[in-house]
Each structure stands twice: as structure tokens, then as C-alpha cells.
Amino acid sequence: MRKLTTLLALSLALGVQAQTHVMTVDVSKPTAQIQPEMYGIFFEDINFGADGGLYAELVKNRSFEFPQPFVGWVPFGNVTVQDANPCFDRNPHYVRVVNDGRLLRAGLDNEGYRGIGVKQGEEYRFSVYARTPDAKPMKLSIELVNSNAQNLLKKEIEVSGRDWQKLTAVLKSPFTDAHARLRIVLETKGTVDMDHISLFPVNTWKGRENGLRADLAQALYDLNPGVFRFPGGCIIEGNSLETRYQWKNSVGPVENRPLNENRWNYTFKHKAFPDYFQTLGLGYFEYFLLSEDLGAEPLPVISCGLSCQYESNEVVPMDELDPYIQDALDLIEFANGPVTSTWGKVRADMGHPEPFNLKMIGIGNEQWDKVYVDRLEAFTKAIRAKYPTIKVVGSSGPSASGDKFDYLWPEMKRLGVDLVDEHYYMNPDWFFGNASRYDNYDRKGPKVFAGEYASHDHSTKKDNNFLAALSEAAFMTGLERNADVVHLATYAPLFAHVDAWQWNPDLIWFDNLRMMRTPNYYVQQMYGMNAGTDVLSLKMDGKAVAGQDSLYATAALNAPTGEIILKLVNAGSQPAEVQIDFNGLKKRQLVAGSCTYLQNDNWRTVNTLDEEAIVPRVRPVQVKGQSLKLELEPRSFGVYRLQVK
Ligand code: AHR
């Protein structure tokens, strides 16, 4: 230690300075265009991301269609499940509640998704389809029960008539509770049938009925996503072909969308979720609408006739593939077709006569081998023949390299797909070490869609910690530098319910009342908000900055404002002196600047629902002339926006 201090003193005395890293940005000639949709989001109903998450329905198993029809419900008194003369043919079950006068009460409670989250003073829209075989009017009491079993709100509605009718009531909650319950009680002696029992916050995203949780949708909006890939992931493949995601089941009246199992229910043996199903209440119409709200290009992914190749690996024979291909063609018609077309009319009837302007479609998720290539080829031919401008996205399999990857990429080139969807869930070292991954990719082949990626820090059980986030920020400098070949990039997965998740890390965590943006979220946001329009060459010692001395950098021009945008990562544990010289400014100068940055000394720091320890901060940057001197803090990621005049 003494020796070290002496050395330090000596070097100071001799005037030895920390090394200045000189970087050069060439402003005169952009090297590539950055796609406006480059940074986006990938949504899948995993971790209770849709039902129980983004989809704002608070009642679980509202249609009694779960294989055990009372899952989510606690019936009391004489309550049975029936299906004679149902209200909805594709969801035929309903409950019959009989109050025979001997029991004080008859009815049922719903537990929601790990509880029902209600906030004091907020309004909730209750609805039920009901009928009574009895001639006289019957009274139902709709109650909100807190986690201490007190029913603190009670509202009565009347059921009359033998035909199904929709009844509604707005409940204003007098309390806040993340684990409340909904109770429905038949107060009058007699019989009532009930189906599709639903409770939504009135305050959904954009105030829509059958809407989305406002805070979660807002978090997506705040990412400024350019592309929105949905609805999965493995759920599009299904554990079996029968349970693949069938988009046609997810449109039309919400009450009649048939239930599907969720492929993530039993995937991990140590983490089973027997109550995980897809109501499809958040379906293709809602996904397209959300894309529109977010200003993101929709990118639906559709089954290619292979169930999950990790699970059952069922394969549709080539001579039976037509209905699957037809699903893809019909989907394009649903999104873009005129209102006079069959599927365009379905869209219009749902309230959106204008087309959604779909431009691309994913065929299959993480598929591999010849079985995939054969099927993709058939899909591609049919889509190209009918919709030549629609871009086709193929897959390079489940990993960043290896046999499957090496086989698939040349096949993707042979088929001439427009984009290849690459997936990589790797450790932070891999992300730091792969910032040059795309530097030597073939520029003449299909473009890259980094469709699922996340840094997995196994030393912390894959926390969404600062190490993972910074490694992603470093890696993404390489995506941006190679924007001529990398056209799209989306982190995965997007959402996780803190009490019901199967997979981590995830971009946004939530409980029934709150949500938390991870450090990884803020990295995505900083890229999404500051993409720029054109890549500028940025070099240090004649090379791209991709890990030398733990530094990572990329530069972009934002043509509409004329700003230069730098993204700089210092992954080292010491500050780094950087000088950036801007060539090609001619008589122009840097006149003002700001830096949005993330910094933390501790790799293991995470955000929690109670406290977001890592959030972007903004500071002004002193600029002068055609050069910039910066001291990059250790373990930091900064986005610099520089004005030029
Ligand atoms: O993002 C979670 C899963 O990871 C996706 O469903 C799948 O595509 C990948 O294996």
C-alpha cells in the first residue's frame, strides 16, 4: 500500500496525467440511416403480463371456462356451473346461484390475480350478463372486500327477465388495497344465472372499456418505441399445436373469445402456475390499437405450423399447411384490408375502419431445422404473391450462435426474407464482449431484428441490476453503429408480476397497484428517446470504440434538429478522460449540450417497487468550438445531445 501511495505521489510530482482517450466524430458524411422504428418493445403474455397485468381486467376466470370452472372463485351457498342455453356459444359456462331462503346468503367471491388492486376514490366498472328464470326481479349485491375480509362497499343491482342482459354498476372504492376481492351476493330468494363477470378500473389507458392498465401502458409510451412485436414468444407456438396462439380467436366481442391455456403455466417445474390461462381479452385488435397509440410499427408473429420445438414439437404436414398460411394472409387483411373485405369488416365492426398499416409479419418464433425452413418458404411465397410490400421476418433460432444459427442464416438468405429475428439471453460479459458483433455482418443479406435479448447476471439470480443494464447499454452502441444492418431491436421479456412470474429479468415489474421501471428500462428509454436519424463515424485510434479500456461509444446525427447525439459507456471502475474532436463541422461550432446519464458504483444495485435507485439524471454540458472534453464517471452511461450552429 505504502509503495502504491509513493508511486502515485511520484507520478503526480512528475505531472503524469490520466490517459486522455481521443475520439473523432466525422460529421460530414453519415455512414448509415437509423430506422425510425429501430428501438422497440416485445410483448408476450408471460409473468402474468397480459391477464393480470397490462390487460386491466381485475376478475380472474370471468367466464368460468378454466378447466376447473371455479378457479379464482370462492362460491358460497348453492352455486353450480351450467351450460344449457348459454349466453356465449364459445364460452358456454355460467354460474347458477340459488338463494333458497334457508341460507342467509348465496353468491361468490373472486380473488383476482393474486388479489384485486383497488385505490381509494378510484372508480371501477362492474359488469355481468345475468338472467333469472323467476318471474320477479332479483337483487344482487356487488361488494368490494378488503384484505381483512371487511366488505366496505356494497352496491345493489336488479336482475329481471328470463333473457340474458348486461348489467353494469360503477363502484367507487372507499379504500386502497392490493389484495381486495370482489363479492357478488344474491340477496333475494330465487335463482339467478350469471356469466362474464367483469371489473375494470374506469381509469384505463385512454379511458377505454376493455382497456389497459394506465400506468403500465404509460410506461410503454414513455419508451418511445418504434416497433411493437406481439403476442410472443413461445406462446405463439403453444405447448401443442392445439394451444398455439390463434389470432382469429382474439378478435370480435370480448365475451366470446375462447379461453386458451398459457404456455408458461407449467414450463418450469419448480414454478408452476396452474391458474395461468389466456382470455384473449387483450387480443389482436387491442394490440394493433396499442401500436397506434404508441406510435410504434406493429409486428405480429404467427404460428408457422410448428408447436414449441422445446416441448411437444408437433409439426403440421406440408400438405395441411394451407389453413396456417391463410391465417397469415387473413391477418394482413384484418390489419390493412378495406372495410368491404371479410377481415377488414371485422376490424371496422370493432371500431377501426381505417387500416392499421401493417408493414411486417413474423413467421414462427424460435424455430429451427429444415421443418421450419420448408414451412417458412411456403408462407413467404404466399405472402409475397398476395402482399409484395409486406416484410417477412424469419428466425435464426433460439441462440446467438451454434449449429441451429449457422444452418438458419444461410437459409434465410436463400429464402430472401427481409429480416432475421435473433435471440440472445447471455451473461453481462457476453454483452460487453459483443459490441462489435455486427461490424462484419453481410450488408447484402436480410436485415437483423434483435428480437429478444437481455443480459442475465447469474451471480445474482438474474436480477435486473446495474451490471446487466450497463452491459446492454454497451452492447447497444454496436447495434446503433451497425444500423445499416440492424434494423430493429427489442428487449425481452417486457413485464413481470412480482407475485406471479416465471422468467427474469424483465423490463418492468409491477404488483396490483404499483409498477417499477428497471435500470434496463431506462437504458432502453435513453436509446428510444435519442435514436437520431443517421449514424456518424466515431473512431478512437482508427477503430470503432467497442470495449477498449472499457469504453463504448456511438455517434448519430438527428437531422430534424441538427443535433449530434453521442452515447458513451464507461464500464470501468475509474473515471475516463475523453476528448472528442468533431471533423467536418466547417464553420459550425458546438453551442450547447446536455447529458442524460445513468451512474452507479455498485453493479448489484436494483430498483424496487418502493424505490427506484437508478434513474436517469440530466446535466448541462459545457461545450466550445469543435471539440468536447469529458470526464466519464466510472460505471456510467451517458447520452449527450449537442447543438451545433
Ligand atoms: O422471452 C421469453 C421467451 O424466451 C420467449 O417466449 C421465447 O421466444 C424465448 O425462448
Side-chain angles (χ1 to χ4, degrees), residues 42 44 46 229 232-235 237 263-264 310 365-366 398 423 425 452 492-494 503:
F42 158 54
E44 175 165 28
I46 184 172
R229 176 180 181 237
C234 292
I235 67 159
E237 304 161 359
R263 180 240 177 278
W264 295 104
Y310 285 117
N365 172 45
E366 268 176 4
H423 292 183
Y425 296 101
E452 292 184 26
L494 191 52
W503 180 296

Side-chain angles (χ1 to χ4, degrees), residues 517-537:
R517 302 169 199 232
T518 58
N520 316 70
Y521 173 97
Y522 289 118
V523 167
Q524 293 296 321
Q525 186 183 49
M526 285 164 67
Y527 272 90
M529 300 291 286
N530 300 289
T533 53
D534 302 87
V535 182
L536 298 175
S537 153

